[in-house]
Amino acid sequence: EAQQKKKKSKAEKNNKVKKLRDLLKLEYFIISMNNWWKASFDNAILIVIGYTCFTTVFFVSFDAEKSNALVNIDHLVTAFFMLDFCFNFVCEYQDKETFQKIRDHKKIAIRYFKSGWMILDFVATFPFDIVFNAQTQYTRMIRLMRLSKLMAILDTSRIKRIIKSYYENSTRADRFQSLYIVMYTYKIFRLIVI
């Protein structure tokens, strides 16, 4: 009886260890491509990109002084960009050939690097204002590198992914109608920006 209790205790302990290992698997840290909060975050990033485009061009062109509030907002924008940069390493994607969802961190990182977005996102995310504290002509020109995030507005696949996550549970007719309305609105917006 004591031996059976020992075996049972050992089995329970092994089961707890197995549950802990399963919990710590990196696959749990992958964000689904149809996740609603990731789509909401992507929308927020697009708004932040619009803000960055206008303020960066304004402050570099007119050499205006930033108030403390705007400096704090810029730090918040940098934090948003850093979160976006990190999220891109943990967002699953669908393979174009097999149509399977890829949830492997290594494959996700390789795809992100090969797409060219990683370099653009890193340049836009790097806090030049904090690292190079001096306000010289060069730091103002370096600040223009944030405009590389503008390319995210031109990325139609990102917009399609956002739309898909919002309309995943609607009827087919509603999805097609909404998709066309949003895509044409987006294309008009792109024409205005370009």
Side-chain angles (χ1 to χ4, degrees):
E1 207 174 293
Q3 214 172 18
Q4 285 210 353
K5 283 184 179 180
K6 232 180 192 181
K7 283 183 181 180
K8 189 176 180 181
S9 173
K10 190 175 181 179
E12 286 176 5
K13 186 177 178 182
N14 286 339
N15 196 16
K16 287 180 182 178
V17 169
K18 186 178 184 253
K19 284 182 180 179
L20 183 62
R21 283 183 187 157
D22 287 345
L23 181 66
L24 294 176
K25 279 185 181 177
L26 288 178
E27 193 171 304
Y28 285 107
F29 298 107
I30 298 290
I31 299 171
S32 172
M33 57 193 262
N34 298 325
N35 194 313
W36 67 269
W37 68 263
K38 175 64 169 109
S40 300
F41 180 79
D42 285 344
N43 283 336
I45 282 290
L46 290 176
I47 292 168
V48 168
I49 290 169
Y51 165 82
T52 300
C53 291
F54 290 115
T55 58
T56 301
V57 170
F58 177 80
F59 286 109
V60 169
S61 299
F62 297 110
D63 198 23
E65 286 288 321
K66 286 187 177 183
S67 68
N68 285 338
L70 285 176
V71 169
N72 290 334
I73 290 172
D74 276 352
H75 292 317
L76 185 66
V77 165
T78 301
F80 260 91
F81 286 162
M82 285 180 183
L83 272 174
D84 185 47
F85 184 74
C86 294
F87 283 162
N88 282 320
F89 284 103
V90 292
C91 283
E92 74 178 1
Y93 69 94
Q94 189 172 17
D95 190 294
K96 291 181 181 179
E97 295 175 7
T98 63
F99 298 108
Q100 291 181 332
K101 292 181 179 180
I102 306 298
R103 298 180 62 86
D104 180 30
H105 284 281
K106 186 176 179 182
K107 289 180 181 178
I108 292 170
I110 290 170
R111 178 178 179 259
Y112 185 40
F113 180 75
K114 285 183 177 179
S115 70
W117 284 106
M118 188 176 121
I119 295 167
L120 289 174
D121 286 347
F122 178 77
V123 167
T125 301
F126 190 79
F128 292 104
D129 297 354
I130 297 170
V131 174
F132 305 111
N133 201 13
Q135 292 293 325
T136 65
Q137 182 73 20
Y138 297 114
T139 55
R140 284 196 306 263
M141 296 307 285
I142 288 173
R143 202 179 307 156
L144 282 176
M145 288 186 190
R146 274 212 169 156
L147 292 179
S148 64
K149 269 297 207 187
L150 179 63
M151 296 299 290
I153 291 176
L154 304 177
D155 182 18
T156 56
S157 64
R158 179 179 236 177
I159 300 299
K160 285 180 184 177
R161 188 179 72 233
I162 293 170
I163 293 168
K164 183 179 177 185
S165 69
Y166 278 133
Y167 298 109
E168 189 176 55
N169 297 325
S170 59
T171 65
R172 186 175 183 189
D174 290 340
R175 279 186 268 165
F176 279 121
Q177 185 179 15
S178 299
L179 180 68
Y180 282 117
I181 290 171
V182 173
M183 284 306 295
Y184 284 118
T185 304
Y186 170 71
K187 287 179 181 182
I188 292 169
F189 174 73
R190 249 181 42 189
L191 283 172
I192 293 169
V193 170
I194 295 173

